[in-house]
Amino acid sequence: VQLVESGGGLVQAGNSLRLSCEASGRTFSDLNVAWFRQAPGKEREFVGAITKSGGSTYYADSLKERFTISRDNALKTAWLQMMRVKPEDTGVYYCAADATSISPSPADFGSWGQGTQVTVSS
């Protein structure tokens, strides 16, 4: 499966931003989807995940009050809605997909997008 993220950019703290992850090459509904992020000099961090049907979502505890993941299998797209963004949300955001894994570990996901940069100004 090929994954392409979009929607990143420069945003002011307190505002909202929605990232998209568009898939091709495989039946999207066969895949769990996760979002990760990586700040400069830091390890890749789990943001959240959504199951194949979209029936369940999981989030990092520190982000669940502000971030929401959704998907539309007919559009082969998943989204990460970010609200009340903070400067510490700055980083490259990646979507990842896997047919079996629904895990906070990046190593458990077999397919990755190229990432989209999010920069939050204070």
Side-chain angles (χ1 to χ4, degrees), residues 3-8 18-22 28 32-38 44-50 58-60 63 67-71 77-82 92-97 102-106 109 112-113 115-116 118:
L3 304 172
V4 178
E5 302 96 335
S6 62
R18 190 175 77 160
L19 306 182
S20 299
C21 172
E22 186 170 354
F28 191 56
N32 298 309
V33 174
W35 286 92
F36 293 83
R37 67 183 185 183
Q38 189 165 19
R44 197 161 294 190
E45 174 189 25
F46 176 74
V47 172
I50 187 166
Y58 308 90
Y59 298 96
L63 301 175
F67 288 13
T68 302
I69 297 173
S70 59
R71 67 188 293 164
T77 301
W79 296 276
L80 174 64
Q81 179 70 50
M82 306 166 61
V92 179
Y93 283 71
Y94 299 90
C95 68
I102 185 77
S103 159
S105 173
F109 285 84
W112 290 82
T116 185
V118 172

Side-chain angles (χ1 to χ4, degrees), residues 15-16 18 41 50 56 63 73 80 83-84 96 98 114-115 118:
N15 287 346
S16 298
R18 190 175 77 160
I50 187 166
S56 295
L63 301 175
N73 287 341
L80 174 64
M83 298 183 292
R84 302 187 303 279
D98 197 272
Q114 83 290 347
V118 172

